[in-house]
């Protein structure tokens, strides 16, 4: 080989094969063609990293195999007659839920549906020019929900009302969320737009069923497609509802508290002296609770203070050796304090799936009950130390006086309705409902020898049934027709005798009596809610498809 040939550069193939400086990871394997480099100034034909390289073919399934993929519809699928589990290509058809059923059932049914299965929105009746003002609609919705929740309405009914207000102004893609102290609502115009979220905190609660009924009428007018209520008009009506005074003055409320305790004392066997003694103790307790509230003390201490005067009067009558049934005086005072309204609302929230709100309500009831226990126990302990002979066995000797007890139960329901600040037009209906409740309880327990828990559950179920039917007839909330009617069924006697046994160092016997009181309270709450649900069977609640959709969301 000549010297010139020795200086001639070797070919690429020779360098690849023989040059030891070329590492193996950069060497081009045999049989793999190196792509051609484009000329200077030119552009590569491959412009995207998603482009398929040459020589790579995507396999296609055979034409006959239509069910081989999870994304391919079955061979029996037809877009014209699509089964319910497939969404048609044209979207979900509109379902008219306007004139068939009340707005409470319509909104409750839609809230229980999955979002993807809700009916398409109907034509908006109150859309302002250029569309509704979303922040103002959400603010109005939250203010309405605040009044309902603060008035003692159940969480599901509050969500239904908030959903109805939003849909009435064209905001169909909204999701309300209600807890014990927080209201929130979120609205998303579309999948590509940012959601709008607003919230409001409920810090104060008050019992005013007149205001609650007015809010229900406002929501009913907003949900009516034939009634045009602008945002300004809705705000004006809401401001009037907030400014309205309570229908009963303070002295009427104090008198109603005394009559409630007096009527309850007659239910458990009291006579005329017991009637007036129980009324005096309850009125003193009510005034003492008002004094504590004016000083800014929490409700726990208000209940503790209100429970002391009735117990003190009962102990004083025993120490004075007055031949009266002192236990009836203390029991009557407890009837005026037991938080039956909060108990029913808490159990209702638990039965409808709002477990956080139900836990908070029941915890509130527990605190109130502990406050009552402390107030009564302090007085009973002092009375026992002073030599008062209180007999827990008196619970077994309640006299059967049907006419007197029915009249006392109706008086108790009437005064309870006044304490709840109900409208005067609803007082007569709830009074009759309370009389029916006690009549059923007395017939089952005293005549039929059925256990008090079962008798209470049946009577409370009738209260819920009649209350729900009356509320639908009046297009209002069911609370004014049910809460006061369960007053005669409250476990005041079992509570008192349990506390008395504990004060006399008979803890086991006292715990048994308090457990019975808790069982009676749960029977009342569950019975009221079950009666309300049964009443819907007699109403027009929509088609079966809507009920199945609501059922599927509950895991069945």
């Amino acid at each position: 080989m000549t010297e010139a040939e020795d200086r001639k550069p070797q070919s690429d193939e020779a360098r690849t094969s023989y040059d030891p400086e070329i590492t193996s990871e950069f060497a081009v394997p045999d049989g793999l063609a190196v792509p051609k480099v484009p000329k200077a100034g030119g552009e590569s034909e491959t412009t995207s990293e998603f482009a398929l390289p040459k020589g790579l073919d995507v396999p296609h399934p055979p034409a006959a195999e239509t069910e081989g993929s999870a994304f391919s519809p079955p061979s029996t699928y037809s877009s014209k007659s699509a089964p319910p589990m497939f969404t048609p290509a044209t979207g979900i058809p509109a379902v008219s839920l306007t004139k068939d059923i009340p707005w409470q059932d319509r909104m409750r049914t839609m809230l229980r549906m999955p979002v993807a299965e809700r009916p398409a929105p109907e034509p908006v009746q109150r859309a302002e020019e250029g569309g509704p003002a979303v922040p103002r609609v959400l603010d109005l919705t939250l203010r309405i929900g605040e009044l309902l929740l603060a008035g003692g309405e159940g969480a599901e009914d509050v969500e239904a009302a908030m959903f109805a207000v939003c849909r009435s102004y064209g905001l169909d893609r909204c999701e309300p969320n209600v807890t014990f102290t927080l209201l929130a609502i979120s609205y998303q115009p579309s999948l590509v737009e940012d959601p709008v979220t607003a919230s409001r905190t409920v810090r104060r609660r008050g019992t005013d069923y007149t205001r609650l009924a007015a809010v229900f009428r406002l929501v009913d007018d907003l949900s009516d497609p034939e009634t045009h209520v602008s945002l300004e008009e809705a705000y004006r009506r809401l401001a009037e509802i907030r400014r309205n005074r309570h229908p009963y003055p303070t002295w009427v409320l104090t008198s109603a508290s005394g009559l409630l305790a007096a009527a309850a004392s007659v239910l458990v066997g009291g006579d005329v002296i017991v009637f007036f003694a129980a009324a005096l103790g309850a009125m003193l307790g009510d005034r003492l609770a008002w004094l504590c509230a004016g000083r800014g003390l929490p409700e726990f201490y208000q209940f503790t203070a209100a429970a002391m005067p009735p117990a003190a009067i009962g102990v004083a009558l025993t120490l004075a050796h007055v031949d009266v049934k002192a236990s009836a005086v203390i029991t009557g005072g407890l009837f005026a304090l037991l938080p039956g309204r909060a108990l029913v609302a808490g159990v209702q929230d638990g039965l409808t799936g709002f477990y956080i709100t139900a836990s908070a309500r029941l915890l509130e009831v527990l605190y109130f009950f502990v406050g009552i226990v402390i107030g009564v126990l302090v007085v009973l302990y002092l009375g026992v130390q002073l030599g008062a002979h209180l007999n827990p066995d008196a619970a077994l000797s309640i006299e059967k006086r049907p006419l007197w007890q029915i009249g006392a139960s109706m008086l108790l329901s009437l005064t309870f309705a006044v304490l709840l600040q109900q409208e005067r037009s609803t007082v007569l209906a709830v009074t009759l409902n309370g009389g029916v409740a006690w009549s059923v309880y007395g017939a089952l327990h005293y005549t039929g020898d059925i256990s008090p828990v079962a008798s209470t559950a049946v009577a409370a179920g009738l209260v819920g049934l009649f209350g729900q039917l009356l509320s639908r007839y009046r297009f209002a909330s069911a609370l004014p027709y049910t809460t006061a009617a369960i007053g005669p069924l409250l476990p005041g006697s079992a509570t008192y005798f349990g506390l008395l046994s504990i004060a006399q160092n008979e803890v086991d016997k006292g715990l048994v009596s308090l457990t019975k009181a808790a069982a009676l309270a749960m029977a009342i709450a569950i019975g009221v809610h079950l009666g309300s649900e049964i009443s819907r069977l007699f109403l027009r609640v929509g088609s079966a498809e809507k009920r199945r959709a609501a059922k599927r969301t509950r895991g069945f």
Side-chain angles (χ1 to χ4, degrees):
M1 184 179 293
T2 62
E3 184 178 354
E5 291 177 351
D6 196 19
R7 291 195 302 265
K8 183 179 179 179
Q10 297 178 352
S11 62
D12 294 338
E13 183 178 356
R15 282 208 313 264
T16 303
S17 303
Y18 302 105
D19 193 349
E21 297 180 358
I22 302 299
T23 58
S24 60
E25 59 267 21
F26 296 103
V28 180
D30 295 337
L32 182 61
V34 180
K36 297 181 180 181
V37 180
K39 297 180 180 180
E43 294 183 359
S44 174
E45 296 179 359
T46 304
T47 59
S48 172
E49 65 253 20
F50 300 102
L52 295 176
K54 293 182 179 180
L56 180 62
D57 296 329
V58 180
H60 296 282
E65 187 180 358
T66 58
E67 298 183 8
S69 174
F71 298 97
S72 59
S75 58
T76 58
Y77 174 74
S78 174
S79 59
K80 295 183 179 180
S81 58
M85 65 286 298
F86 288 97
T87 303
T90 57
I92 301 176
V95 179
S96 177
L97 298 176
T98 303
K99 299 181 180 179
D100 297 335
I101 54 179
W103 66 266
Q104 297 98 319
D105 283 345
R106 283 187 284 129
M107 297 302 109
R108 185 183 292 108
T109 301
M110 295 189 67
L111 283 173
R112 291 178 180 179
M113 285 184 179
V115 178
E117 297 183 12
R118 289 177 183 172
E122 299 172 357
V124 181
Q125 302 290 336
R126 306 173 185 82
E128 309 288 343
E129 295 184 1
V134 174
R136 297 193 66 198
V137 173
L138 296 184
D139 179 71
L140 175 68
T141 303
L142 289 173
R143 292 178 182 273
I144 290 176
E146 178 189 11
L147 287 180
L148 293 177
L149 187 63
E153 194 65 65
E156 187 178 38
D157 293 328
V158 175
E159 281 197 359
M162 295 172 64
F163 196 69
V165 174
C166 286
R167 285 183 65 89
S168 65
Y169 286 104
L171 307 185
D172 57 289
R173 299 183 185 91
C174 62
E175 286 296 329
N177 186 20
V178 176
T179 58
F180 186 59
T181 58
L182 181 65
L183 297 168
I185 189 166
S186 179
Y187 170 69
Q188 188 169 12
S190 65
L191 295 177
V192 297
E193 297 183 66
D194 296 332
V196 181
T197 304
S199 63
R200 195 173 183 87
T201 302
V202 180
R203 302 188 184 278
R204 297 185 60 186
R205 302 176 184 275
T207 304
D208 190 343
Y209 282 3
T210 300
R211 179 179 297 173
L212 190 70
V215 176
F216 258 78
R217 283 192 293 268
L218 174 60
V219 178
D220 186 66
D221 290 341
L222 291 174
S223 304
D224 188 0
E226 299 179 358
T227 305
H228 179 82
V229 181
S230 63
L231 277 174
E232 298 298 333
E233 176 67 15
Y235 267 108
R236 185 189 64 80
R237 291 180 57 178
L238 189 62
E240 290 180 355
I241 293 173
R242 286 180 173 275
R243 287 195 301 265
N244 281 346
R245 293 178 176 270
H246 297 307
Y248 306 103
T250 303
W251 67 271
V252 173
L253 297 179
T254 302
S255 302
S257 179
L259 289 177
L260 189 154
S265 66
V266 175
L267 282 180
V268 294
D271 53 12
V272 177
I273 299 178
V274 170
F275 181 91
F276 287 103
L280 177 62
M283 287 189 291
L284 290 176
D286 180 77
R287 287 293 87 197
L288 189 58
W290 275 100
L291 180 62
C292 294
R295 298 293 182 178
L297 291 178
E299 286 184 295
F300 176 86
Y301 302 104
Q302 297 177 27
F303 274 81
T304 302
M308 288 183 175
I313 290 180
V315 171
L317 291 175
T318 303
L319 291 175
H321 302 288
V322 179
D323 188 15
V324 294
K325 200 171 184 179
S327 61
V329 178
I330 304 175
T331 301
L334 291 178
F335 266 87
L337 297 176
L338 293 178
R341 172 183 57 87
L343 175 67
V344 172
V347 175
Q348 178 183 351
D349 289 341
L351 295 176
T352 52
F354 293 83
Y355 300 113
I356 296 177
T357 306
S359 301
R361 287 186 189 272
L362 294 178
L363 185 61
E364 181 188 40
V365 172
L366 178 61
Y367 272 104
F368 291 163
F369 187 76
V370 170
I372 297 172
V373 167
I374 293 176
V376 175
L377 273 181
V378 168
V379 177
L380 290 182
Y381 182 77
L382 293 177
V384 171
Q385 296 301 317
L386 293 175
H389 298 285
L390 300 171
N391 185 16
D393 295 332
L396 304 176
S397 60
I398 297 179
E399 300 178 6
K400 300 177 182 179
R401 300 176 296 177
L403 296 180
W404 282 98
Q405 289 176 333
I406 292 176
S409 65
M410 296 177 66
L411 177 61
L412 193 153
S413 299
L414 188 148
T415 52
F416 202 175
V418 173
L419 288 176
L420 294 174
Q421 304 280 358
Q422 292 189 196
E423 293 179 307
R424 292 180 174 86
S425 59
T426 64
V427 171
L428 177 60
V430 75
T431 301
L432 296 177
N433 203 7
V436 170
W438 180 261
S439 300
V440 173
Y441 172 79
L444 293 176
H445 179 53
Y446 296 117
T447 305
D449 292 330
I450 300 176
S451 67
V453 176
S455 303
T456 301
V458 174
L462 288 178
V463 168
L465 175 65
F466 294 148
Q468 192 67 231
L469 294 176
L470 288 171
S471 69
R472 299 308 175 88
Y473 176 74
R474 299 290 300 272
F475 298 99
S477 171
L479 287 180
Y481 299 96
T482 58
T483 305
I486 65 173
L489 304 176
L490 292 175
S493 179
T495 303
Y496 161 68
F497 288 109
L499 299 179
L500 179 59
S501 298
I502 294 176
Q504 295 178 344
N505 290 327
E506 298 179 359
V507 179
D508 294 339
K509 189 176 179 180
L511 291 179
V512 170
S513 184
L514 291 180
T515 302
K516 177 183 175 182
L520 291 173
M522 293 297 293
I524 292 173
I526 295 176
V528 169
H529 183 264
L530 182 60
S532 300
E533 293 293 331
I534 292 176
S535 68
R536 297 191 179 99
L537 297 177
F538 302 97
L539 302 174
R540 301 170 63 183
V541 294
S543 64
E545 294 183 358
K546 305 183 188 67
R547 299 300 292 180
R548 285 199 299 268
K551 186 178 180 181
R552 281 200 301 270
T553 62
R554 305 224 171 250
F556 296 97

